[in-house]
Amino acid sequence: MSSGQDAVHRWLPFGALSPSKHILDDTSEERDVGLIVLNQPLHSQRRELERLWPRSSVRIFVDGAINRVTDCFGDDADRYTPDIVCGDFDSADKSLLDVYRSKGVHVYETPDQNYNDFHKSLLELWKYAGADPQRKLTQVYVLGAFGGRLDQVLSNLNVLYTAVCPVPLFLMGEGNLAWLLDSGRHEIAVDSGLEGDWCGLVPVGGRCDRVTTTGLHWNLDDQPMEMGGLISTSNRLETPPPQSVTINCSHRLLWCMGVNIGPT
């Protein structure tokens, strides 16, 4: 991403998910992704995991995610052995934890209840990545961030506002992709062919005084946004689809959009 006072922050959210990338093996120099898998059913995100796995140099399963991987992949679950398993382990299968320990996986119990398991896994990710200068992460994807209980989804969104992550942090789950836009100018690439048929721009963290967009069916023109007032949901890309969407915002906004991965 660009830097500087007037920089445009350029986002490539589908780069690591493109079909041409998922064939990379574990020796590839393009393994620049951090991957976190949360405790949610994975069947609807199987393709995302299969594509992100070979691009990832740090892979973390959070608590009951170890059960979910086994449920999803069955006998093929051995293909997906993470670097770290962490959490308070209130839902992880204890026998599976022993299996991962026997494979040399780092198993860390993180009982601090002041943070949710997702936030704690981010802390573990950067500890692990920082211990090896060869691990150059340029982006982090989190699978299982959406679906299930609303309070847990809101807690995951809150992590975007509270956690320190020096690279783009993308939340995924149940056909959704979301991340936080800081104040400033943004350009989001939307020409991968993996985009879904909807998108939204939501002032989750507070009022945004001014928002201007291009590339959307319903654009905003220097308008304020806030919960209890104007928000942009059920929007979509303009027709014909643009190569990118631009957003200029005075305060933080949550960008969300549909994902259509298609066949692996």
Side-chain angles (χ1 to χ4, degrees):
M1 296 220 303
S2 305
S3 59
Q5 183 176 1
D6 297 320
V8 177
H9 300 277
R10 293 184 170 87
W11 301 88
L12 300 170
F14 294 99
L17 291 159
S18 65
S20 62
K21 299 294 186 182
H22 82 286
I23 59 174
L24 300 170
D25 61 31
D26 280 356
T27 65
S28 171
E29 294 181 356
E30 294 189 62
R31 293 178 61 225
D32 58 354
V33 170
L35 177 61
I36 296 173
V37 182
L38 302 181
N39 180 22
Q40 285 292 330
L42 283 173
H43 292 87
S44 66
Q45 299 168 81
R46 179 177 180 134
R47 289 170 178 164
E48 287 90 333
L49 180 61
E50 290 171 339
R51 291 194 182 182
L52 289 170
W53 193 264
R55 279 294 303 271
S56 302
S57 62
V58 182
R59 301 149 172 162
I60 297 181
F61 292 167
V62 179
D63 207 328
I66 63 174
N67 314 345
R68 307 293 190 171
V69 171
T70 299
D71 292 343
C72 182
F73 292 98
D75 293 339
D76 289 334
D78 284 343
R79 296 169 49 199
Y80 301 98
T81 299
D83 301 292
I84 295 171
V85 175
C86 64
D88 56 18
F89 298 146
D90 59 346
S91 54
D93 185 309
K94 300 303 186 288
S95 63
L96 283 176
L97 285 174
D98 290 337
V99 169
Y100 281 116
R101 288 190 182 98
S102 71
K103 293 180 178 181
V105 173
H106 301 282
V107 178
Y108 301 130
E109 185 172 5
T110 53
D112 187 348
Q113 296 301 306
N114 290 317
Y115 302 95
N116 70 1
D117 279 345
F118 168 28
H119 196 151
K120 290 181 284 189
S121 70
L122 269 178
L123 298 176
E124 295 298 335
L125 181 144
W126 288 112
K127 285 181 192 176
Y128 187 79
D132 185 347
Q134 298 302 312
R135 299 190 188 102
K136 302 292 187 182
L137 300 185
T138 63
Q139 54 203 322
V140 176
Y141 287 81
V142 183
L143 298 185
F146 304 110
R149 286 168 38 187
L150 177 59
D151 63 331
Q152 293 179 342
V153 172
L154 293 173
S155 180
N156 291 336
L157 291 176
N158 189 58
V159 173
L160 291 178
Y161 289 84
T162 58
V164 175
C165 188
V167 300
L169 176 59
F170 300 114
L171 305 191
M172 300 191 72
E174 300 294 331
N176 301 281
L177 172 64
W179 67 95
L180 191 63
L181 305 178
D182 282 328
S183 61
R185 299 162 62 204
H186 302 267
E187 181 179 299
I188 303 170
V190 291
D191 59 352
S192 70
L194 303 178
E195 295 78 16
D197 58 3
W198 65 272
C199 59
L201 197 57
V202 187
V204 175
R207 177 183 169 90
C208 183
D209 292 334
R210 297 178 305 280
V211 188
T212 298
T213 68
T214 66
L216 302 180
H217 184 76
W218 291 285
N219 280 307
L220 296 149
D221 184 10
D222 202 32
Q223 293 168 264
M225 300 181 73
E226 63 182 328
M227 300 300 288
L230 174 67
I231 65 174
S232 177
T233 58
S234 299
N235 210 330
R236 59 181 184 267
L237 303 179
E238 66 183 5
T239 304
Q243 290 188 322
S244 63
V245 167
T246 69
I247 301 168
N248 191 351
C249 50
S250 62
H251 297 79
R252 285 176 161 185
L253 291 171
L254 182 74
W255 168 262
C256 51
M257 63 189 306
V259 180
N260 184 15
I261 297 297
T264 303

